[in-house]
Amino acid sequence: MREMSRRNMLKFAAVAGMAGTAAACSGVGGGSGGGGGGGTDAGGSATLRYAWWGNNVRQENYTNALNAFMEDHPEITIETEFAEYTAFQERMTTQMAARNVPDLFWVPSAQVMTYYANGLFHDLDGVGTLDLSDYSDADIDGLRLDGVHNTMALGIFVPVVRYNATMAEEDGVTLPEGEDWSWDGFTEFAIDYAANNPNGRWAVNYGPDHDLTLEAWLRQRGEQLWTEDGQIGFTADGIASWLDFWENLRLAGAAPSLSEQDGVGADWSLIGERVLSYFGNSNHIIDDAQFFPEATFLLRNMPVAADATAGHPYLYTPRLAIYGDIDEANLEAAGTLLNYSANNSDMLRITGLTMGAPVNPRVAEEVTEFASPDEQQMLDAVSHDRALERNPRYEAPAGSSTWRTILTRVSEQVALEQSTTVDAATAMIAELQAAIERAA
Amino acid sequence: MATATTPSRRKSRLNRQGRAAHVFMLPWLVGLVGITAVPTLASLYLAFTDYNVLSTPEFIGLANFERMFADERFWQSVRVTLTYVLVSVPLQLAFALLLALILDRGMRGLTFYRSAFYLPSLLGSSVAVAVLWRELFGHSGLVNSALALVGIEGSSWLQNPQTALGTLVVLNVWTFGSPMVIFLAGLRQIPEELYESARVDGASVLRQFGSITVPLLTPIIFFNLILQTIGAFQAFTQAHVVSGGSGGPVDSTLFYTLYIYQQGFTAFDMGYASALAWVLLVFIGVMTAGHFLLSKYWVFYGD
């Protein structure tokens, strides 16, 4: 009896071991067709993996929105994959290496061309369930990569100056208006404010590492971040002038030091009560204003230099894509979900507008009915720039994925007075150029 | 008849037990091969390739290793890591030994203190503690608040390249519990008669420590030294969380492992990252071998 029990147990262990081995081996699949539980069945149902990034509030909101989608589309099951922004990119890297990429995924800005170059985007032309009838040709053309429409926009961001109107009123100041709303005009105002406000507040965060505002600065100078042929579009002079702008503010006491704001990327929760204004993305007001509910925050579009190049405004569009190697049987289901994500105000009613103003003009109109005051500020800022003449904008080329890290590092060197602005800018370009050449 | 069948049955039972042992080992073996051995060997191959994670690896010989010589950030990560190891490991071991000596005196509540002191070892490399560290040493953190009470205005310890690495050294020293427990076990093995004889001969406490405790504890010191040194070379989480993954400010906390990670997962330069990883592996191997070679001059096994 004892012998039999052991034999049975060994058989069980052997079977379990083999099953475990098989399960482990099947863990690497591709998109919905892999071992991750995706796939279609004879009844036409589909399971899709949807990956996005953000904070816990966004996670909850989008999970609710995706649940609502599944209630309306019981034939489609969504498996969610959420992470914080940096962790999202790290996980995508391993998923790409294993060809185990989610069926729908948000695309980090620095990775657009890297993902594209490696076939991660599915061509959206011919996806019948994706409705593009509300869009203008220009809207879709703006999303094309090498002439191929292979991503949709989640929304639109523009660079802005966010300021605390309650604080301005307390201190009896008004930000420059009209022609005075220039970089020089802002600098003059900021230095004067910091020197004279009674509460020892700074005028602005120290923000040379912010990508969207740097891009605005460069485009006004006639430069750009990236060229159409995937090269660096800025000069050392351009970067140095940007760093000089911030150093001028910091040295004059209008902006905090790295120590005072705990890093180049300021901790908003730490300095929000002590700075009048903040250079950032238009969408950030939605989350950041929640930190200080007693205050009213307003947005201004970027200051404009007197000699700014025509067509300098631009729109930044975070993207959403369908995986290039998705199980084709799931493509139309993915199109349905993509359509819900880009063209449905009901979803935005649940998620809020943290991913910016809708590109779809119909949806952009519909969201005004329920947008909060902060969201309305964001919509107005985007509408302002969207109405202006805009030169083309190009995505970051393959190999440049670390450019923001490099910018942060050289900004630290300058702020800590370990480098001149010109040397820092030159070093940044050299490091970036080497990375792009290696990736070519 | 019975004596003829007994060895056969015994052999059969042993065979069955052998098979059972192999079956039970299977999950571990699958893990060892699939998660450790194969990726390790794969990374050895990748170290000689240009591989961006997505495309097919292209063999480039020793180019990745040659690139390191001209890579300033590689050398910076080496400097940071060596500084961290050379400062934090001796400090940690000294602190652990000191606490072990105190606890070895048989104080009341010894079990509680031993557990309490061991706790940081369990938490020290966790993300939660690294986040806590960031809050402690930030501009408005607890450390500066305490300094403010005595009229000292502190700056952000983490944003100053002169002090950022120091905060991580303190974090590592704080995780002294693991070597402390091992030291404590070693101290318990030293015969009490030796101390009694020394006291009879008029040896001071310091003399007893230098002539009895340290020599007889050298195998334990050696063991802890090897373990903690290897661990310190592989430190990652603390620097990653505290610096937000950048190794900043200005690369002052750019640990070698963090640089490997940046190259592999941010810059998509997995071939170079693999080469860096193998350099670290070889360096740790050589350093450990050196420790063993030198140990014959200062480690006393008492046999």
Side-chain angles (χ1 to χ4, degrees), chain B residues 222 226 286-298:
Chain B
F222 179 60
I226 294 285
V286 169
M287 184 207 60
T288 306
H291 272 316
F292 272 96
L293 283 174
L294 291 174
S295 69
K296 63 184 176 188
Y297 297 109
W298 65 276

Side-chain angles (χ1 to χ4, degrees), chain A residues 206-210 242-243 247 258 264 406-417 424, chain B residues 250:
Chain A
Y206 184 73
D209 68 327
H210 188 250
W242 171 248
L243 296 171
E247 275 302 278
L258 294 195
V264 173
I406 300 170
L407 176 62
T408 299
R409 183 156 23 92
V410 300
S411 299
E412 287 171 345
Q413 287 170 345
V414 170
L416 294 166
E417 300 177 6
Chain B
V250 285

